[in-house]
Amino acid sequence: MHLLPWLTLLCFTFFNQVYSSPAQLTTRPLPLLLPDGHVNFSVANAGLGYGPIPEGFILHPDLQFPRPISESATLINIAHFIKQLGQHDIHGEIPPQNFMTAQYPEPIIGIRVPPSRRAIKRQYVISALVLAMMHMLGLNQPTFHASHYTLLWHDEEIGGLSFGVFAPSGGGARDTTSEQDVAMKDSAGAAPGKNPDIISQESGQVVETTTDLSNSPLSVTVTYLGPPLDKEDLLSTLIWTMGQASVPTSEFRFANWVPEWLEGHTRFIASATPRPRPPYMNYFWLLEALAATADYLVDHNRYGDVNTLITVDGAQIGQGLFRHR
């Protein structure tokens, strides 16, 4: 398998669209656990269609470079990239690009395509990001490293994914919302989230508040419930869940939603607050809340059961809960 030409520059869905009542909540336990509790990357990456990974998709780890990258920064950049991709048509395509957040300019996430292609489906990029996180978490190393992966669809090379410390030549992407994005979401009855008001709670006490709502009607309240959980376990669940929440229509409303996950591992459930009028709980706002939860976990370095309360325009629309078993 050949590597894409730009590799030398490095220094470094399936989806579960549910509209259901609580009685209909079911999940399929996935045989992805290794004895040490980590995700079995080879099983998740077997092209069998587990969780957010469509059948026929495989991520091939090519190279890992000596240059370390931050685990926390990698998590945040992956989470916000998935959020941005999942809030648009996942069957639509994006051109080659680099992504980073303002908070973490490194690692830069690079997306490339072979010379025969001009773009790649968002769904494939989301799948690659999920599997790359599973792979890096499963290496049992104290630090992540700059790396490169090849994306395969039914054994055909369709793109490349890199995590590095500087951008290859080409356009860049940040976790921002363009005027075009605003117009598109407004027409659908939902405003895009940006710089949400994140209220962090610990044992019922507010310990940190960001109040800039100038760009978003969204407010996310994260409450740490405890007890402490395995960090890699929770991070795996978070990214895996974001992958599954990236459905073809992010404005699709749901009453309750439980993604497929690992039996005996941290579980996630999202529920909508019954409302007679908009705003309503949907996958667009859920992705915003999950990215905000990732920010909370990293900022506070506390990994345990957490509850996320989601409010839009002052109205509570739903909540999500990460809970072990």
Side-chain angles (χ1 to χ4, degrees), residues 87-88 180-192 250-251 284:
Q87 289 176 333
H88 295 79
Q180 181 179 1
D181 294 334
V182 173
M184 179 185 69
K185 295 303 177 183
D186 282 347
S187 66
S250 64
E251 289 82 14
F284 183 92

Side-chain angles (χ1 to χ4, degrees), residues 264-291:
H265 246 224
T266 299
R267 301 290 297 279
F268 177 79
I269 180 171
S271 60
T273 301
R275 291 185 49 77
R277 63 185 64 86
Y280 300 112
M281 182 70 162
N282 58 33
Y283 290 99
F284 183 92
W285 296 121
L286 178 59
L287 284 167
E288 287 282 357
L290 290 169

